[in-house]
């Protein structure tokens, strides 16, 4: 996925910079999952303190994939306790206007300057905590979807150029 970056990243203090994050949209997703209004609200309630993470390869100067274990990589940022959540409309590259769940994030640009800023230019994927996921397969409008009924965030994962997000579209954009 290509991502949309707007404006400039805002310095919060010497160590942290603030950005906005477009995470997911409701209903049918191209990966065969379906997010209901109720599940979207449950997910949103788990946003505070979710890490923005990635596995950075210094040789290729790029992020890799999700890794084999969820503890691999570094935390490059975090969703704040008060995430400034909003549903925001965005025109996607496929010409469809979608309403995305959006939140503030803080990136550790004073600690991991290059990698933390690279997060803004990479594909990302949201990760759900596997033990929390519940749902069932259903046909909706003639298509088969996995309809989530429960779950919580594990992280927002930056991916390298060779990797496609495997759960939902997740893109970062700067705040003005």
């Amino acid at each position: 996925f290509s991502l949309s970056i707007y404006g400039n990243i805002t310095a919060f203090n010497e160590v942290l910079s603030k950005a906005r994050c477009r995470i997911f949209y409701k209903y049918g997703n191209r990966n065969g999952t379906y997010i209901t209004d109720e599940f979207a609200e449950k997910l949103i309630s788990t946003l505070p303190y979710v890490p923005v993470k990635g596995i950075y390869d210094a040789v290729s100067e790029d992020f890799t994939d999700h890794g084999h274990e969820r503890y691999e990589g570094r935390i490059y940022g975090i969703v704040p306790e008060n995430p400034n959540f909003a549903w925001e409309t965005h025109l996607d590259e496929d010409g469809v206007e979608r309403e995305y769940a959006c939140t503030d994030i803080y990136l550790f640009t004073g600690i991991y300057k290059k990698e933390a800023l690279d997060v803004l230019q990479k594909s990302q994927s949201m990760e759900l905590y596997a033990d929390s996921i519940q749902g069932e397969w259903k046909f909706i409008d003639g298509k088969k979807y996995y309809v989530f009924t429960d779950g919580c965030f594990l992280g927002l994962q930056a991916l390298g150029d060779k990797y496609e997000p495997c759960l939902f579209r997740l893109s970062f954009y700067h705040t003005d």
Side-chain angles (χ1 to χ4, degrees), residues 131-146:
D131 291 347
S132 73
I133 297 172
Q134 293 180 23
E136 60 187 354
W137 290 98
K138 291 184 178 181
F139 281 94
I140 300 172
D141 296 328
K143 294 182 182 178
K144 189 174 183 180
Y145 289 104
Y146 185 81

Side-chain angles (χ1 to χ4, degrees), residues 12 24 35 39 44 58 62 70-71 90 118 123 127 137 153:
F12 181 74
F24 68 89
I35 297 178
F39 180 65
I44 292 161
D62 197 6
R70 295 298 182 231
Y71 58 78
H90 181 260
D118 280 355
S123 294
E127 294 181 330
W137 290 98
F153 281 107

